[in-house]
Amino acid sequence: MNILVTGGAGYIGSHTLVTLIEAGHTPIVVDSLHNSSRVSLERVAQITGVQPNFYQLDIRDKAALSEIFSQHAIDAVIHFAGLKAVGESSVKPLLYYQNNLDSTLILLEVMQAHGVKKLVFSSSATVYGSAPIPYTESSPAGQGITNPYGQTKYIIECILRDVAASDDSLEFTALRYFNPIGAHSSGLIGEDPSGIPNNLMPYIAQVAVGVRDTLGVFGDDYDTTDGTGVRDYIHVDDLAEGHVAALTHSKPGFRAINLGSGNGTSVLELVHAFERASGRAIPYTILPRRAGDLPEFYADATIASQALNWHSSRTIDDACRDTWNWQSKNPQGYN
């Protein structure tokens, strides 16, 4: 199939391109490069031997996006594009609502105009807010979301649900995934955040490689195994395979599906796993809890297994090994 991948030069997008190509699909990449790098696409070509079609474009440019649909016989869309920094979204909420919602609405309009019926949306476990764990797809969504980023994910899900209800030929899947970590085993592509990392794993990796001095651990007095926060970490290659599975197993209508390992790992457990993988000590400092942080959350991924024939197969140790392979070969990321 010809798959339009919005945000395809980003962390999860680039890994999904590899998986798509290896599965025999043809990706067409649209990315503004606002928080990603063209180099990732060159690395995808190194891994696969295929140079993806690429258009540097903000998908809110409706005329330009329509032209891409006219040039390529698009069979389906994987929609990653959007602003994604949780902290920044609280400081610049209007920017996040305008960018993430407008881009999705325009994408849906162009898909409708060109008769494209299948969409896989990059959603997030943040839509669950503070629901009881483990999170299942029937857990309350849209309640207690603590930041505008998560709100945009939930609102987009609502839009997709309403649009799908208006046309029974549409196949819309929202993949609610948990905490992506890891990198491609080649070390050629991985997570390359702009500025100070917002996520734990790239921060740990940057400390290990000497880009940063110390890791800050927010809270060690939670009711967890070691007092630090617990999250469900999923290898980015498992996540990529989940997106490809959703392309081939989706059914008419809208459906939200969790992608997670189903297991929780604490901050310090991840730190120690990375120390084993890298052979380097990770100095850390305990800081006060951050407002809005939950003690722990993890997925129930039963529906992904049943509906998509998918489950996560890579371990925390695999993810730490692959992250270190990427970071040690690319200490400054794609720069």
Side-chain angles (χ1 to χ4, degrees):
M1 292 192 291
N2 290 334
I3 312 299
L4 184 80
V5 184
T6 74
Y11 172 44
I12 302 171
S14 60
H15 288 79
T16 301
L17 293 181
V18 172
T19 305
L20 284 168
I21 292 167
E22 291 176 344
H25 300 295
T26 301
I28 297 95
V29 180
V30 176
D31 198 304
S32 68
L33 301 182
H34 173 74
N35 53 16
S36 57
S37 172
R38 187 189 297 265
V39 177
S40 69
L41 303 178
E42 298 169 4
R43 302 285 184 85
V44 167
Q46 284 184 250
I47 294 167
T48 64
V50 175
Q51 182 67 58
N53 289 297
F54 170 59
Y55 298 89
Q56 185 173 349
L57 169 69
D58 187 321
I59 62 173
R60 291 176 293 176
D61 185 339
K62 187 175 181 179
L65 184 62
S66 296
E67 180 61 25
I68 294 170
F69 274 76
S70 296
Q71 291 180 20
H72 301 274
I74 304 296
D75 297 298
V77 175
I78 300 179
H79 182 29
F80 293 110
L83 299 176
K84 61 179 183 177
V86 169
E88 183 184 57
S89 76
S90 296
V91 177
K92 301 177 180 178
L94 284 178
L95 176 65
Y96 272 68
Y97 284 113
Q98 289 170 344
N99 184 90
N100 293 1
L101 300 185
D102 287 354
S103 60
T104 302
L105 290 169
I106 289 169
L107 175 63
L108 290 171
E109 289 175 355
V110 175
M111 286 177 62
Q112 184 179 64
H114 290 267
V116 179
K117 306 288 189 179
K118 189 188 295 280
L119 173 72
V120 177
F121 171 57
S122 166
S123 191
S124 168
T126 56
V127 303
Y128 291 117
S130 56
I133 53 175
Y135 293 164
T136 70
E137 290 82 355
S138 60
S139 298
Q143 302 175 17
I145 298 174
T146 58
N147 57 80
Y149 163 77
Q151 292 283 15
T152 67
K153 292 294 187 182
Y154 177 67
I155 293 169
I156 291 170
E157 284 196 15
C158 293
I159 292 168
L160 295 180
R161 183 180 290 107
D162 290 344
V163 174
S166 72
D167 181 346
D168 60 13
S169 68
L170 297 176
E171 299 180 13
F172 290 171
T173 307
L175 297 179
R176 295 171 173 171
Y177 44 82
F178 285 66
N179 293 68
I181 59 173
H184 191 267
S185 59
S186 66
L188 287 170
I189 57 175
E191 188 168 9
D192 181 24
S194 300
I196 299 173
N198 292 295
N199 298 322
L200 176 61
M201 181 64 105
Y203 207 111
I204 292 173
Q206 289 187 7
V207 171
V209 83
V211 173
R212 304 196 182 277
D213 295 329
T214 305
L215 171 71
V217 177
F218 296 99
D220 66 346
D221 57 351
Y222 290 109
D223 185 16
T224 60
T225 53
D226 56 24
T228 64
V230 170
R231 298 292 181 264
D232 187 338
Y233 296 99
I234 176 174
H235 197 293
V236 66
D237 282 337
D238 282 332
L239 199 55
E241 290 168 3
H243 286 78
V244 177
L247 282 176
T248 55
H249 291 276
S250 61
K251 296 181 180 180
F254 169 85
R255 190 167 197 182
I257 299 177
N258 288 341
L259 293 187
S261 71
N263 299 306
T265 301
S266 76
V267 172
L268 290 184
E269 286 172 337
L270 190 63
V271 167
H272 297 323
F274 201 91
E275 289 177 327
R276 294 192 299 271
S278 65
R280 298 194 175 189
I282 307 297
Y284 63 86
T285 301
I286 302 298
L287 302 173
R289 295 185 185 187
R290 289 183 301 194
D293 274 357
L294 299 173
E296 59 181 327
F297 63 77
Y298 50 89
D300 181 324
T302 302
I303 288 179
S305 176
Q306 295 172 345
L308 305 182
N309 193 29
W310 174 93
H311 65 279
S312 64
S313 61
R314 297 165 179 86
T315 66
I316 292 294
D317 289 333
D318 293 334
C320 289
R321 177 200 65 218
D322 293 340
T323 300
W324 177 240
N325 187 35
W326 150 257
Q327 194 73 69
S328 60
K329 291 177 177 177
N330 304 272
Q332 300 299 327
Y334 291 117
N335 295 323

